[in-house]
Amino acid sequence: MTVTTSSPTADPVKKPSGFTPLAKRRRLTDHVVRVTVIAALLVALVPLVWLVSTLVIRGIEPLLDIDWWTLPERKGGAANAIVGTLMQTALAAVISIPLGIFVAIYLVEYATKKSVLARVTTFMVDILSGVPSIVAALFVYAVWRTTLGLPRSGFVVAIALVLLMVPLVVRATEEMLKIVPQDLREASYALGIPKWKTIVKIVLPTALSGIVTGVMLAIARVMGESAPVLILVGSTRAMNWNPFDGNQESLPLMMVQQYNNGPGAFDKVWGAALCLVILVAIVYFGAKIVSKIFASKTS
């Protein structure tokens, strides 16, 4: 015969499972912060949505006419201004992008903390980053027209745009190169790969997406500058395919001139503004596609 005895530990205390519920105050704080962030996002979107909708509503009508894209301004279109804008921006980009990337590579990959050249370069880049476009235009005018006595042209505008674009490219590229892990460089050096090839094959492809974004922001800024075109090139309502000779129109210059013509020409002003935004968007998305194609592949 067996006798069962009761043990004081027969009914153990159940242990709580899972995480402890958050305190009411912490849940309330999280909710308030979440609502505040969403409200700030909506407030920030209001001017953007308003700007885009206004541009589309007021500027879409001229763009729907095929003559806007094919005929020069003297025949009712804007082809001469579009061509001038693209040529001037392309010339500035051809000069600024390689120059800015090479400067950034020197500052990140080759310069030391004690380098006088690096400190001077960084200081000059900081100064140029805050220079207004009118100051850059007047400087180029003083050198090109007053000192050298050379004529105004679209190429002179491109030179002024270079002064505005280079510091933006340098800063964007420099920041992207800094975030590339140092382990990638050291692994490449350990395999006996020289430094220049490591930069070309490892560092730049890794940072390519961010570099392209910075370059596109720089292009978007200089593409809409009006001060250099007002000072350094004469306006023309005819087509000019040669940026090195004669007057050359651009979309910012066209907007200023059409605005001075009175309310009757405001539709062309809005059309030119929307056209400029469309060109910037096309260049941006095209560059993003190119960056994805040439970016480093991940397994």
Side-chain angles (χ1 to χ4, degrees), residues 95 136-160 163 231-233 243-246:
I95 300 173
L138 290 175
F139 171 76
V140 175
Y141 182 86
V143 175
W144 191 269
R145 290 284 293 163
T146 306
T147 304
L148 302 178
L150 299 175
R152 299 192 298 175
S153 64
F155 177 70
V156 188
V157 176
I159 295 177
L163 297 179
I231 296 175
L232 300 173
V233 67
F244 300 96
D245 183 26

Side-chain angles (χ1 to χ4, degrees), residues 262-283:
F266 281 2
D267 58 337
K268 293 186 177 179
V269 176
W270 286 105
L274 180 58
C275 183
L276 187 60
V277 172
I278 292 174
L279 292 179
V280 172
I282 292 174
V283 173

